[in-house]
Amino acid sequence: MKNICFRDDVLPLKNKLFRLALRITLDKAEAEDVVQDTMIKVWNRRDNWERIESMEAFCMTICRNIALDKVKAAARRNVTIDDNITEAPADTSYEANPEEQAVQRDRMDTVKRIMDSLPEKQRSAMHLRDFEAKSYKEIAAILDITEEQVKINIFRARQTIKQKYAKTESYGL
C-alpha cells in the first residue's frame, strides 16, 4: 500500500501541470484555473490514491482533460483564446548585440507560433517529451494512446516545425 501525501506528492507537480495547461489553452489565466481545478479533482479522489500507479501521470491526465474541455467550451462560445504567454527571458549571451537579441526573439516567436498551430496531440506529446522530459511510456499513459502513437506524433510535430521554420526562414530568397 502506497502512502501518498498531497503536500509532498501532488503539490510539487503544480508547475508541470501549469506548463501543460498553458501549452493546451495558450492562456495564462485559463491555465491557472485548470491547475486549480486539477488539484481540487485530485483531492476529491483521495480515497482512491492507493490504487493509482503513478500520481504524476494521474494528475497530468486530469489536467490535460480539463484543459481540453476548457478549450472546447471556449470554441463553442466563439471566443478566441488570447496568447497572453509571457515572453521568455532574452538570451544573455547576446547581451552586447541588440540586433542578435532581436533576431533570436523573432526565431523563438516563429517556432512558438508554429508549435501552437500543431494538432493538440502532437503539441502535447512534443511538450511532454521535450519540455517535461517524460518517457514515451509516461506520455502514452497521460495522453491515453500507445507508445508507437506517441513516437509518431512527436516525429510528425518535429517534422512540421522543421519544414515550416525552413519555409519561413527562406521566404524571399
Side-chain angles (χ1 to χ4, degrees):
M1 185 167 149
K2 293 184 248 176
N3 189 12
I4 297 174
C5 175
F6 187 82
R7 184 183 59 201
D8 297 334
D9 298 322
V10 179
L11 279 181
L13 301 174
K14 70 182 181 330
N15 291 335
K16 289 182 180 181
L17 296 172
F18 176 76
R19 288 189 300 266
L20 176 64
L22 184 62
R23 177 60 45 208
I24 294 171
T25 63
L26 305 175
D27 182 273
K28 186 177 178 184
E30 198 73 38
E32 290 170 351
D33 291 343
V34 168
V35 172
Q36 184 175 6
D37 292 347
T38 300
M39 294 294 182
I40 291 169
K41 199 169 245 187
V42 169
W43 176 255
N44 289 339
R45 294 185 180 175
R46 65 188 173 275
D47 296 336
N48 300 325
W49 284 356
E50 65 275 352
R51 290 179 273 195
I52 297 171
E53 187 175 322
S54 169
M55 182 56 80
E56 185 174 350
F58 178 70
C59 292
M60 297 287 263
T61 302
I62 290 174
C63 180
R64 177 181 175 270
N65 291 338
I66 292 172
L68 289 173
D69 289 345
K70 292 216 181 241
V71 169
K72 288 176 188 171
R76 281 195 300 269
R77 290 189 312 262
N78 292 328
V79 175
T80 60
I81 299 175
D82 295 328
D83 189 11
N84 293 330
I85 300 171
T86 58
E87 285 189 33
D91 186 347
T92 57
S93 63
Y94 294 105
E95 208 168 290
N97 189 345
E99 179 184 358
E100 194 62 41
Q101 284 181 343
V103 169
Q104 189 68 13
R105 267 194 311 275
D106 288 345
R107 287 177 180 157
M108 290 304 293
D109 288 344
T110 301
V111 171
K112 187 176 126 195
R113 258 191 334 275
I114 294 169
M115 196 167 168
D116 290 345
S117 72
L118 292 172
E120 189 277 324
K121 275 197 178 171
Q122 289 180 13
R123 188 172 62 228
S124 295
M126 185 174 169
H127 176 79
L128 290 169
R129 181 67 178 175
D130 295 338
F131 298 104
E132 301 295 333
K134 300 287 180 208
S135 69
Y136 292 122
K137 185 176 183 178
E138 291 172 316
I139 297 169
I142 292 168
L143 299 180
D144 195 29
I145 57 178
T146 67
E147 286 183 52
E148 285 301 314
Q149 289 173 318
V150 169
K151 292 175 185 177
I152 291 168
N153 278 306
I154 292 171
F155 174 79
R156 288 180 180 165
R158 289 175 179 162
Q159 285 298 108
T160 301
I161 290 172
K162 182 179 174 182
Q163 291 168 353
K164 286 185 178 181
Y165 184 80
K167 184 178 179 181
T168 302
E169 286 295 303
S170 67
Y171 181 74
L173 296 178

